[in-house]
Structure formats: C-alpha cells, structure tokens
Amino acid sequence: MSTNDHDVKILNGLIESTIDSAEGYAEAAKDTKSTRFTSLFQSRAGERRQVAGVLQRQVRTLGGKPDDDGTVLASAHRLFVNLRKSLSSGDTAVVDEVERGEDHIKAKFESALKDKEVSPSTLTVINEAYASVRQGHDQMRDLKHSLHNKS
C-alpha cells in the first residue's frame, strides 16, 4: 500500500466520522427544546461539514476518491437511537448524547494523529481539522458539566 493509499484510507475514515458528527448535531438541533442549543448544534453541524470538506479536498489532492457520506451505522446509529430514547429526559440527556459522540470523533482523530505511516502533509491537514474537533468536544464537555451541576 502506498503512502497515498494509506493517507486516503485514514482520511476517508475521518470523513465518515465527521459527517456522522455533523448529522448527529443536526439531529440534536431538531430534538432539543432550547433555542440556545438549537443554534449551537446547527452551528456545530455546519462547522463539521466544513471540516469534512477540508479532509475531502486532501483526498482529492492525493488522487483518491473522498467519501461523501457518513456510516450512519455502528456508533453514529446508536447515538441517534440513544438520542431519541433520551428525548423524554430533556436537553441534559440530549447534550449527554452529543458529548458521547464527541468523545468518539475526538478519539478517531487522536488515533490518526498517532499513525506513523501518515505523510507529513496529510498529518498537517488532520491536525488542523483536529483543532476544530477538539474545540467542539471541549465545548460539549463543558456544557454537559454545567448542565449537570445545575441539577
């Protein structure tokens, strides 16, 4: 497997997770009762779509075919199912599910950053995308903690 092939494989995995994350935020925006959270989740969904676009451009630069949809299986599907189940519990439960999804995407990016076979140029792109992912994760973690400290 060439470096480009490996980079494309890693990037496409991140693209799937990032699109799943954008879809999760879009679902959360529909499911929350708070307009404050609706706009926050919509904003994060848009930001995740931009991150996916950056990763897709890198795949094209490497001569690969970028994924253009998420997995909507496995963990993302469970996130949506859990989100639906937790709706009756209110916005705190929605934020809990979003934060759980954030833990998942953050771990995926951290794993890619540790991959010794990824080329330096692709690593730079992943690292820049990770800054956005980390910011979203930290924001949801802090929001989760503030909601739990109120109750």
Side-chain angles (χ1 to χ4, degrees):
M1 182 185 281
S2 75
T3 299
N4 279 6
D5 289 344
H6 183 73
D7 284 10
V8 167
K9 179 179 173 228
I10 296 298
L11 287 164
N12 275 331
L14 294 176
I15 290 166
E16 286 180 355
S17 295
T18 304
I19 291 171
D20 284 348
S21 176
E23 295 301 320
Y25 273 118
E27 286 293 315
K30 289 182 212 163
D31 293 339
T32 184
K33 293 163 182 57
S34 163
T35 55
R36 169 184 162 219
F37 295 148
T38 299
S39 72
L40 173 64
F41 295 155
Q42 286 171 337
S43 172
R44 281 278 163 214
E47 174 263 335
R48 289 294 157 85
R49 287 184 189 100
Q50 288 177 337
V51 168
V54 168
L55 298 172
Q56 288 166 329
R57 278 191 293 283
Q58 179 66 9
V59 169
R60 282 187 211 94
T61 298
L62 295 168
K65 181 184 182 318
D67 282 350
D68 58 5
D69 57 4
T71 60
V72 192
L73 300 168
S75 61
H77 183 68
R78 283 192 301 275
L79 173 85
F80 297 145
V81 170
N82 290 340
L83 196 58
R84 293 255 188 274
K85 284 181 192 169
S86 66
L87 284 179
S88 58
S89 306
D91 287 338
T92 300
V94 173
V95 170
D96 287 352
E97 289 305 320
V98 168
E99 200 264 343
R100 194 169 302 138
E102 284 298 294
D103 287 344
H104 173 76
I105 191 171
K106 182 175 176 252
K108 293 271 293 203
F109 271 82
E110 288 172 349
S111 175
L113 287 169
K114 292 175 188 163
D115 188 322
K116 302 289 185 218
E117 295 176 43
V118 173
S119 71
S121 63
T122 295
L123 201 56
T124 297
V125 171
I126 293 170
N127 201 34
E128 288 169 5
Y130 175 66
S132 174
V133 167
R134 191 180 61 238
Q135 179 190 30
H137 169 274
D138 292 353
Q139 182 183 31
M140 290 305 118
R141 178 201 61 212
D142 295 347
L143 180 59
K144 175 184 170 182
H145 291 302
S146 75
L147 288 173
H148 282 279
N149 288 338
K150 282 183 189 174
S151 24

